[in-house]
Amino acid sequence: MFTENEILETIDMLDNRHLDVRTVTVALSLLDCIDGDAARCRKKVYDKITRTAERLVPVCAMLEKRYGVAIVNKRISVTPISIVGSACGDHIGLAKTLDKAGKTLGVDFIGGYSALVQKGATAAESAFLDTLPEALSTTDIVCGSVNVASSRAGINLDAVKRLGVIIKDLAYRTRDNNSFGCGKLVVFCNAVDDNPFMAGAFTGLSEGECAVNVGVSGPGVVEYEISKHPDHDITAICELIKRTAFKITRLGQLIGSAAAAELGLTPGIVDLSLAPTPAVGDSVARVLERIGLSTVGACGTTACLALLNDAVKKGGVMAADKVGGLSGAFIPVSEDAGMIDAVRGGRLSLEKLEAMTAVCSVGLDMIAVPGDTPAAVISAMIADECAIGMINNKTTAVRIIPVHGKTVGDEVDFGGLFGTAPIMKVNGGDPSVFVDRGGIIPPPIHSFKN
């Protein structure tokens, strides 16, 4: 039973503290759509998506009214298209089919234009990688990802090198839109099968036929709760965050279960991640500052982020039937008002962000850099993040945007939840000899656990 105070607390979180359900994502297997005939494959994909997720948007609208909860995004993730299209080879056609199906249903994004090449790439997967710039620049709501590393396989430096070139190509192709095509592409280490968040969501091969996965938010709620207790020591702050994360996650569990029941689908996971927005009062950076930092980026930032991430996991895991996805605290620069301010003021550097990614979800996310940043430098950024993920057995990722024609001191506005990105300075050293070596960086010795 909920007490009257708990009910009033939750109402206040929804009305005044930016608590929302960030996404309800239908995760759908397309393995049964594989066909050697391209036209048949495209038809199977379109029909299955539009049939299975036909009621996703109206059901979410109904749940918003029933519970008074904002469901910000409605999304679909599918089996990696590098696999679905392997028999027919029509990856571009499938990208456009995904775009058409998603628009027909009115969803915000559809993810899964993806490949898993952490140990090597087949001929079909190699051909798929070449299609990424065209596919993501000629579609509107399709998102893609490539897993290039894992703690068991190591880092595929050949794929990492190619992704640097691919990202530069995609930035140029979408130059009239602030190179935002790169915002729809994530490069992973240790990608998970049940992530509901874009741009990296795909339905892994270990998943069932279809499930409803949910991602919650609520950094504004956490900040507010901490603000009420200025005299708490760090131990008490951790306990406070745990209790708050439990309440936030219960909301996700409620919406996920209700959505699955209404859609006649299997309930999936709740992703515990604190996902910020550019709105004032909805920032992970402000939570860190409320813990005791004068600004995010100051000494102590990584420690504060580590305790926040851990407390969110500990509090949330007891509140959901199944926890999965990325589950932590996101630190995307352009999507977090506090991060944006810190970068503008020169208080948060790319190097400090990299250090922070060692203790949170997920990595260098929604970071804008000068358009003339060399492909080898982008590849080396990816390799650095993959090394953090590989050694620490955690998911890390890079979503970097080399904005064509922009340099340090400029800003770009991506609009909506994607926010504003100050162009960040990149270290001027040249890693091209390292990147050009290619090959596989072996997995760490502690990966051999059999």
Side-chain angles (χ1 to χ4, degrees), residues 79-121:
T79 306
I81 293 298
S82 62
I83 297 170
V84 178
S86 59
C88 68
D90 185 21
H91 298 111
I92 296 294
L94 287 171
K96 294 180 177 179
T97 299
L98 294 181
D99 205 49
K100 180 181 177 183
K103 289 176 177 176
T104 298
L105 297 177
V107 300
D108 297 283
F109 291 103
I110 183 164
Y113 199 79
S114 307
L116 310 176
V117 296
Q118 59 268 26
K119 200 170 184 178

Side-chain angles (χ1 to χ4, degrees), residues 73 75-82 94-96 98-99 107-115 128 132 135-137 139-146 170 180-186 188 195-203 366 399 418:
N73 279 283
R75 300 165 172 167
I76 298 168
S77 68
V78 299
T79 306
I81 293 298
S82 62
L94 287 171
K96 294 180 177 179
L98 294 181
D99 205 49
V107 300
D108 297 283
F109 291 103
I110 183 164
Y113 199 79
S114 307
F128 170 84
L132 280 164
L136 297 181
S137 65
T139 56
D140 295 316
I141 62 173
V142 173
C143 293
S145 61
V146 183
L170 184 53
F180 185 68
C182 300
K184 300 195 296 171
L185 176 62
V186 180
F188 277 117
N195 168 22
F197 287 103
M198 300 296 171
F202 64 86
T203 300
M366 286 303 289
R399 187 162 47 150
F418 298 107

Side-chain angles (χ1 to χ4, degrees), residues 151-207:
S151 295
R152 292 302 298 266
I155 303 172
N156 183 345
L157 197 58
D158 294 320
V160 169
K161 178 182 178 181
R162 289 182 67 180
L163 263 296
V165 176
I166 287 167
I167 289 169
K168 288 282 290 185
D169 185 359
L170 184 53
Y172 181 77
R173 289 174 185 248
T174 56
R175 62 192 181 277
D176 293 336
N177 189 27
N178 290 323
S179 299
F180 185 68
C182 300
K184 300 195 296 171
L185 176 62
V186 180
V187 185
F188 277 117
C189 172
N190 291 323
V192 297
D193 287 352
D194 53 8
N195 168 22
F197 287 103
M198 300 296 171
F202 64 86
T203 300
L205 299 182
S206 66
E207 296 295 290

Side-chain angles (χ1 to χ4, degrees), residues 386-449:
C386 288
I388 291 172
M390 177 183 71
I391 295 296
N392 292 296
N393 198 31
K394 71 183 292 291
T395 303
T396 52
V398 173
R399 187 162 47 150
I400 196 90
I401 306 174
V403 185
H404 186 78
K406 301 295 184 181
T407 189
V408 176
D410 294 333
E411 290 192 6
V412 291
D413 185 0
F414 296 127
L417 288 175
F418 298 107
T420 301
I423 306 298
M424 298 190 70
K425 180 182 178 181
V426 178
N427 187 296
D430 182 8
S432 57
V433 173
F434 159 64
V435 171
D436 288 342
R437 288 183 184 275
I440 299 288
I441 297 178
I445 188 64
H446 60 254
S447 69
F448 301 109
K449 296 180 180 179

